[in-house]
Amino acid sequence: MPSGGKKKNLAILNKEEKRALCEYLERAGTQQAHVGNAWSREIQYIHGEGRITTKTGKAFHIGTFKGGDGNHRSWITIGGEKKKIEGTDINYGVDEPTMQQVFNAHKRQFGVDVRSPTPSDDEA
Protein backbone atom coordinates (compact mmCIF):
# COMPACT_ATOMS: atom_id res chain seq x y z
CA MET A 1 0.00 0.00 0.00
CA PRO A 2 1.25 3.51 -0.75
CA SER A 3 2.78 5.47 2.09
CA GLY A 4 0.44 7.65 4.11
CA GLY A 5 -1.95 4.81 4.87
CA LYS A 6 -1.93 5.53 8.60
CA LYS A 7 -4.66 7.86 9.81
CA LYS A 8 -2.19 10.22 11.50
CA ASN A 9 -0.53 10.83 8.12
CA LEU A 10 -3.77 12.01 6.50
CA ALA A 11 -4.62 15.65 5.89
CA ILE A 12 -8.04 16.82 7.01
CA LEU A 13 -9.10 19.90 5.07
CA ASN A 14 -10.56 23.03 6.60
CA LYS A 15 -13.28 25.00 4.73
CA GLU A 16 -10.79 27.22 2.87
CA GLU A 17 -8.69 24.24 1.77
CA LYS A 18 -11.80 22.34 0.65
CA ARG A 19 -12.94 25.34 -1.40
CA ALA A 20 -9.43 25.59 -2.93
CA LEU A 21 -9.49 21.86 -3.73
CA CYS A 22 -12.81 22.25 -5.56
CA GLU A 23 -11.31 25.13 -7.58
CA TYR A 24 -8.33 22.91 -8.43
CA LEU A 25 -10.63 20.06 -9.51
CA GLU A 26 -12.73 22.42 -11.65
CA ARG A 27 -9.57 23.32 -13.61
CA ALA A 28 -8.11 19.81 -13.67
CA GLY A 29 -8.31 17.93 -16.94
CA THR A 30 -6.55 15.09 -18.68
CA GLN A 31 -4.86 17.45 -21.13
CA GLN A 32 -2.50 18.49 -18.29
CA ALA A 33 -1.94 14.98 -16.94
CA HIS A 34 1.50 13.37 -17.01
CA VAL A 35 0.58 9.75 -17.56
CA GLY A 36 3.77 8.11 -18.83
CA ASN A 37 3.36 5.13 -16.50
CA ALA A 38 0.45 6.11 -14.29
CA TRP A 39 -0.18 2.58 -13.08
CA SER A 40 3.08 1.27 -11.71
CA ARG A 41 4.00 -0.17 -8.33
CA GLU A 42 5.65 3.12 -7.47
CA ILE A 43 3.54 6.16 -6.59
CA GLN A 44 3.10 8.44 -9.59
CA TYR A 45 1.82 12.00 -9.42
CA ILE A 46 -0.05 12.30 -12.69
CA HIS A 47 -1.47 15.76 -12.17
CA GLY A 48 -0.61 18.69 -10.01
CA GLU A 49 -0.45 22.41 -9.75
CA GLY A 50 3.31 22.59 -10.17
CA ARG A 51 4.39 26.18 -9.67
CA ILE A 52 0.81 27.37 -9.26
CA THR A 53 -0.51 27.20 -5.73
CA THR A 54 -3.94 27.90 -4.37
CA LYS A 55 -4.98 30.77 -2.15
CA THR A 56 -4.11 28.50 0.76
CA GLY A 57 -0.48 28.46 -0.37
CA LYS A 58 -0.57 24.67 -0.74
CA ALA A 59 -0.55 22.77 -4.03
CA PHE A 60 -2.79 19.79 -4.78
CA HIS A 61 -1.69 16.68 -6.69
CA ILE A 62 -3.39 13.49 -7.88
CA GLY A 63 -1.39 10.34 -7.17
CA THR A 64 -1.80 6.87 -8.66
CA PHE A 65 -0.55 3.43 -7.70
CA LYS A 66 -1.02 -0.18 -8.78
CA GLY A 67 -0.73 -2.52 -5.83
CA GLY A 68 0.76 -5.99 -5.71
CA ASP A 69 -2.81 -7.32 -5.71
CA GLY A 70 -3.38 -5.68 -9.11
CA ASN A 71 -5.78 -3.05 -7.77
CA HIS A 72 -5.52 0.46 -9.21
CA ARG A 73 -5.79 3.33 -6.72
CA SER A 74 -5.74 7.11 -6.82
CA TRP A 75 -5.91 9.88 -4.22
CA ILE A 76 -5.35 13.60 -3.83
CA THR A 77 -2.53 15.13 -1.81
CA ILE A 78 -1.91 18.60 -0.42
CA GLY A 79 1.27 20.53 0.25
CA GLY A 80 4.91 20.06 -0.61
CA GLU A 81 5.13 16.87 1.44
CA LYS A 82 2.21 15.49 -0.61
CA LYS A 83 0.14 14.51 2.41
CA LYS A 84 -2.82 12.34 1.37
CA ILE A 85 -6.19 14.03 1.92
CA GLU A 86 -8.56 11.98 4.05
CA GLY A 87 -11.40 10.40 2.09
CA THR A 88 -9.87 10.79 -1.38
CA ASP A 89 -8.43 7.28 -1.78
CA ILE A 90 -10.27 5.40 -4.54
CA ASN A 91 -9.77 1.72 -5.35
CA TYR A 92 -10.83 0.98 -8.94
CA GLY A 93 -10.12 -2.74 -8.72
CA VAL A 94 -8.06 -4.68 -11.24
CA ASP A 95 -9.49 -3.04 -14.37
CA GLU A 96 -7.29 -0.08 -15.30
CA PRO A 97 -9.33 3.14 -15.33
CA THR A 98 -8.79 5.85 -17.91
CA MET A 99 -7.40 9.17 -16.74
CA GLN A 100 -10.80 10.75 -17.44
CA GLN A 101 -12.40 8.22 -15.09
CA VAL A 102 -9.84 9.11 -12.41
CA PHE A 103 -10.46 12.86 -12.75
CA ASN A 104 -14.23 12.41 -12.79
CA ALA A 105 -14.21 10.13 -9.74
CA HIS A 106 -12.34 12.76 -7.71
CA LYS A 107 -14.56 15.55 -9.01
CA ARG A 108 -17.63 13.60 -7.91
CA GLN A 109 -16.16 13.17 -4.42
CA PHE A 110 -16.36 16.94 -3.97
CA GLY A 111 -19.47 17.75 -6.01
CA VAL A 112 -17.54 19.30 -8.92
CA ASP A 113 -19.14 19.18 -12.38
CA VAL A 114 -17.45 16.38 -14.33
CA ARG A 115 -17.63 18.51 -17.46
CA SER A 116 -15.21 21.10 -16.06
CA PRO A 117 -13.09 21.61 -18.06
CA THR A 118 -14.60 19.97 -21.13
CA PRO A 119 -13.51 16.31 -21.19
CA SER A 120 -10.76 15.85 -23.72
CA ASP A 121 -10.98 12.15 -24.35
CA ASP A 122 -13.08 9.12 -23.67
CA GLU A 123 -15.65 9.63 -20.97
CA ALA A 124 -17.61 12.29 -19.12
Side-chain angles (χ1 to χ4, degrees):
M1 180 171 181
S3 62
K6 296 180 182 175
K7 189 144 181 112
K8 69 180 181 177
N9 293 331
L10 296 176
I12 299 172
L13 301 181
N14 61 35
K15 281 184 180 181
E16 184 179 339
E17 290 169 332
K18 191 176 275 188
R19 191 171 26 253
L21 174 58
C22 289
E23 290 173 8
Y24 162 70
L25 289 170
E26 286 172 356
R27 296 187 312 267
T30 58
Q31 63 275 16
Q32 302 105 2
H34 306 286
V35 296
N37 189 11
W39 303 110
S40 72
R41 295 216 172 135
E42 293 183 19
I43 296 171
Q44 304 294 315
Y45 291 98
I46 59 153
H47 192 277
E49 296 182 288
R51 294 179 299 242
I52 301 169
T53 56
T54 62
K55 295 173 189 169
T56 64
K58 299 175 183 174
F60 295 102
H61 294 85
I62 296 176
T64 61
F65 179 79
K66 182 177 179 182
D69 58 1
N71 285 334
H72 299 78
R73 302 173 76 102
S74 70
W75 57 88
I76 303 173
T77 63
I78 186 172
E81 70 279 0
K82 294 188 173 86
K83 195 170 187 180
K84 190 185 295 185
I85 298 171
E86 183 175 46
T88 64
D89 193 310
I90 299 173
N91 185 338
Y92 303 92
V94 295
D95 293 329
E96 183 176 308
T98 66
M99 288 301 106
Q100 193 66 51
Q101 289 170 322
V102 171
F103 281 89
N104 289 346
H106 287 295
K107 288 180 180 192
R108 286 183 188 105
Q109 285 181 314
F110 291 91
V112 174
D113 183 355
V114 297
R115 296 224 174 248
S116 64
T118 303
S120 62
D121 50 24
D122 50 15
E123 175 182 321

